Amino acid sequence: GQQVMQIPQYQHVQEGEDFTTYCNSSTTLSNIQWYKQRPGGHPVFLIQLVKSGEVKKQKRLTFQFGEAKKNSSLHITATQTTDVGTYFCAGPKGGGSNYKLTFGKGTLLTVNP
Amino acid sequence: GAVVSQHPSRVICKSGTSVKIECRSLDFQATTMFWYRQFPKQSLMLMATSNEGSKATYEQGVEKDKFLINHASLTLSTLTVTSAHPEDSSFYICSARRRDRGVNIQYFGAGTRLSVL
């Protein structure tokens, strides 16, 4: 079945350092979404990428979708303590109109102030 | 907007009892809601898709008789863990799908921590 893999599983950085998490799918994706879950919180939607090679930015966050639409990355420039949390990528799960998602295992980012 | 309320946030019960968890979309209608299980420091495992007015569809390996799902209205889905056992202890989280500017986004509830003694 479809698998969505994410690396690294954990990342600890000093405040001000950059951070990148990578997402790889075993199948080609029509789109990919990214969610952030703060410690003790619930996942919150960040962005969706659809086009091959697409790059989108949200302030210090840069999201990329690979040319083959099987991988994606999230890069945070100059991390802040507010960036702490688990970042999940998610791809459509199967076909149909329910828009189910398969989530990666997530990357837990901790930031040392 | 797009608030999803999940209740209760925490429940402790004895083995053999049933527990009902509610998921409500407060400011939008959701024809589709999802139920996940999340283990500590792990990802979200989709259990089932709840469709308003029809039967839920369950993922492979999830017992439908164990995890009863009802989506009786466009704003409410319930998950009932029947005859709960300690191995059912987990964090259950729901989401409701809403289409925002052409994007199908899942809005998550705060989750329910179930502890079965």
Side-chain angles (χ1 to χ4, degrees), chain B residues 46-61:
Chain B
L46 179 64
M47 299 174 64
T49 303
S50 174
N51 300 295
E52 187 270 335
S54 64
K55 290 183 180 180
T57 54
Y58 291 80
E59 296 301 305
Q60 191 172 13

Side-chain angles (χ1 to χ4, degrees), chain B residues 29-94:
Chain B
Q29 294 181 331
T31 55
T32 306
M33 293 185 176
F34 302 94
W35 288 95
Y36 295 86
R37 191 167 172 175
Q38 186 173 32
F39 294 97
K41 298 182 180 179
Q42 292 194 26
S43 189
L44 300 150
M45 185 192 80
L46 179 64
M47 299 174 64
T49 303
S50 174
N51 300 295
E52 187 270 335
S54 64
K55 290 183 180 180
T57 54
Y58 291 80
E59 296 301 305
Q60 191 172 13
V62 178
E63 300 175 57
K64 59 180 69 177
D65 293 331
K66 174 76 171 175
F67 299 100
L68 299 178
I69 291 173
N70 185 277
H71 195 153
S73 78
L74 285 170
T75 59
L76 173 64
S77 175
T78 60
L79 168 68
T80 301
V81 183
T82 62
S83 187
H85 288 95
E87 58 265 30
D88 298 324
S89 297
S90 190
F91 188 65
Y92 294 88
I93 190 165
C94 70

